[in-house]
Amino acid sequence: MTHILRDKAALRSWRAALPPDRRLGFVPTMGALHDGHMSLMVQARAASDVVITSIFVNPLQFGPNEDLSRYPRPIEADIARLEAAGVDALFLPSVEDMYPQGASTLVEENLVSLPLCGAERPGHFRGVTTVVLKLFNLVQPHVAVFGQKDAQQCAVIERMVRDLDVPVEIKRGPIVREADGLALSSRNIYLSAEDRAAAPLIFESLKTAEKAFGAGERDSATLAAIGQDVLARSGRIKPQYWEVRDPESLGAIATVGARGALLAVAAHLGTTRLIDNLLLGGDA
Ligand code: AMP
């Protein structure tokens, strides 16, 4: 049975009652759970004895013109999925419980969080690092699993954990996709039928650049142009960025070398913003 912990006090008593020799795995989410989320629960289970997840649509990481109010919240279906998967506990706090009136402290990473989504969504990663550090302090997991789908989020959290000596091991789970390549996302349900039909071009743009890389192309600008050309096949896709970046620092690179590269894309389809990425192996 999944224990449903609806506030910090309930979480603290549940946590305090865990035997100290039990390894605790944690998967933070915003809910509207899909197979991508569930794959992280499986990974957390393999790395620990007890698995807890959280569902919290964090207002701090949404910009003023973003989709906070319409973000899907199918909580009954989510709980049923967690029960079926044998997840031990769900932390389901309210906004008021997480952010008491007068809270005035924020956590900010100032390098990895700046480009890509950080540039397009000011304040987004500050909201992410603030809530994730709070969740780590509350849950006190031994290991936490994040999806490679949000590669920049992974990089920012790994930095935060390293820089602030947070005692947790971070694991990344691979991207889970639909049969046609579209990365699973809670936001895919917003897509119109026409936009849904065009959306697999996002992954195809990454695969096409990867193929060129496999054939020997190492120039970042050329690889990006190849990817952008694929996106341009549908007039419905409005790219925000299509970038070749260092896989760890996310800094710009002129050529792909021994460290490999992260191909990262963000695009709008209608009012929906989708992201995807692909790691290129290094030459070393
Ligand atoms: P979210 O609910 O969107 O905040 O996502 C919660 C966690 O699930 C994050 O670590 C995401 O990176 C991860 N995630 C989202 N989509 C996928 C996917 N398609 N494959 C793997 N992990 C995912």
Side-chain angles (χ1 to χ4, degrees), residues 28-31 34 36-37 39-40 71 145-150 153 173-177 183-186:
T29 82
M30 298 202 300
H34 52 63
H37 297 115
S39 74
L40 305 183
Y71 199 84
V145 188
F146 292 84
Q148 176 66 19
K149 162 80 178 358
D150 298 276
Q153 174 169 279
I175 302 177
V176 177
R177 300 179 178 282
L184 296 191
S185 164
S186 306

Side-chain angles (χ1 to χ4, degrees), residues 82-100:
L82 296 172
E83 292 275 6
V87 171
D88 299 291
L90 163 64
F91 180 42
L92 187 62
S94 66
V95 172
E96 296 69 33
D97 192 37
M98 281 299 276
Y99 297 114

